[in-house]
Every structure is written in structure tokens, then in C-alpha cells.
């Protein structure tokens, strides 16, 4: 399945191969695959909540750092980046079953579950990268302030 910078394949064909690989792994048991996907989505939801909590702490630090006008741009940039990260995490908390409609065949449920898991993985990974970038801005500001005569 290979390594992906965003944590999941983006191409629909690669996602379908992943779903088929899961089906083979679970010996054709759609219920087991769907249970696996549900646990994965729940785990991504939990991770998103945890990242939002961490972002709130770092946002407080960034707000505090905006008091230093010499480097307030760095802290303000960190706040904007964190807002984008939190938005991505919030999008992982949205309900998902409504898009299935009347397609309650095992194949449709599998494809839908794989899509949800992959989309949420990509959004979480992007949010994690953004959080890291915002944290780097905060560290840079702290270092610049410490080195300033």
C-alpha cells in the first residue's frame, strides 16, 4: 500500500485496492472489514479531538506572545495556521452515514467506509502538519525574543 505523505492514498483506484486488500485480509467478511473501518474512524475522531485540545493550549501561548509587538507577526501567523488546523479537525467530527442513502449493499458500505477513513486520515494529517508549522513559529518567536539584546 506504500507510504503516503498525507497518510492515505488520494487516487480512487488506490483506495479501492485498499478496500479490496482489507476484504482479503478479513477473508471476505464484510462485517469484520466494516467493524475495522468503524474503529479506525473512531480513532481518527479521538485523535482529532486530542489535537484540537493541544492546539487550544498552543493558541493560548500564541495569544500571550502577541503582546511583544516586535515579533507579534509570528504569533499571529501561528494563530491563523492553528485555526485552519482546528477547522480540519472539526470536519472529522461530522456525521457520515447520511451519504449512504439507500445503498446498503456490503460493497457500497465498504467503499463508503474506506472513503470516510481515507478522507479523515488526510484531513488529520494536514492538521498535524499545520500544527507543527504553527508550533515552529511559536518556537522561533521565543528564540528570537530570547536572543534579542
Amino acid at each position: 500500500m506504500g507510504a503516503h505523505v498525507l497518510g492515505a492514498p488520494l487516487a480512487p483506484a488506490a483506495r479501492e485496492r485498499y478496500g479490496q486488500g482489507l476484504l482479503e485480509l478479513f477473508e471476505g467478511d464484510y462485517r469484520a472489514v466494516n467493524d475495522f473501518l468503524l474503529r479506525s474512524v473512531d480513532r481518527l475522531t479521538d485523535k482529532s479531538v486530542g489535537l484540537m485540545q493541544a492546539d487550544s493550549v498552543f493558541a493560548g501561548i500564541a495569544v500571550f506572545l502577541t503582546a511583544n509587538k516586535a515579533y507579534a507577526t509570528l504569533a499571529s501567523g501561528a494563530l491563523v495556521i492553528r485555526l485552519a488546523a482546528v477547522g480540519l479537525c472539526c470536519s472529522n467530527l461530522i456525521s457520515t452515514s447520511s451519504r449512504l442513502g439507500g445503498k446498503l449493499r456490503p460493497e457500497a458500505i465498504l467503499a463508503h467506509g474506506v472513503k470516510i477513513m481515507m478522507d479523515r486520515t488526510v484531513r488529520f494529517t494536514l492538521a498535524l502538519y499545520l500544527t507543527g508549522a504553527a508550533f515552529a513559529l511559536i518556537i522561533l518567536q521565543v528564540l528570537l525574543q530570547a536572543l534579542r539584546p
Side-chain angles (χ1 to χ4, degrees), residues 55 91 104 107 112 114:
D55 276 336
S91 71
L104 295 178
E107 300 84 11
H112 183 69
V114 167

Side-chain angles (χ1 to χ4, degrees), residues 72-83:
T73 305
L74 292 173
S76 297
L79 283 170
V80 170
I81 291 171
R82 284 195 191 295
L83 182 62

Side-chain angles (χ1 to χ4, degrees), residues 4 15 22 43 66 85 91 94 117 129 142:
H4 301 278
R15 290 178 177 201
L22 284 176
R43 187 167 177 241
T66 59
S91 71
I94 296 171
M117 186 187 71
Y129 288 154
V142 169

Side-chain angles (χ1 to χ4, degrees), residues 25-133:
L25 177 68
F26 288 101
E27 300 173 347
D29 186 350
Y30 280 96
R31 185 172 303 274
V33 172
N34 289 328
D35 287 344
F36 170 80
L37 292 171
L38 181 61
R39 284 192 310 277
S40 296
V41 168
D42 283 344
R43 187 167 177 241
L44 284 165
T45 300
D46 293 342
K47 286 179 168 183
S48 294
V49 169
L51 187 57
M52 286 190 295
Q53 290 171 340
D55 276 336
S56 68
V57 171
F58 294 130
I61 294 169
V63 167
F64 174 75
L65 291 172
T66 59
N68 183 327
K69 300 301 179 201
Y71 302 109
T73 305
L74 292 173
S76 297
L79 283 170
V80 170
I81 291 171
R82 284 195 191 295
L83 182 62
V86 168
L88 286 167
C89 286
C90 284
S91 71
N92 278 350
L93 307 179
I94 296 171
S95 177
T96 56
S97 60
S98 61
R99 292 200 180 132
L100 257 176
K103 302 180 254 180
L104 295 178
R105 297 179 328 278
E107 300 84 11
I109 294 170
L110 171 65
H112 183 69
V114 167
K115 181 180 181 335
I116 289 169
M117 186 187 71
M118 297 294 178
D119 289 348
R120 288 186 179 201
T121 298
V122 167
R123 288 192 301 260
F124 177 77
T125 303
L126 285 172
L128 197 57
Y129 288 154
L130 289 172
T131 296

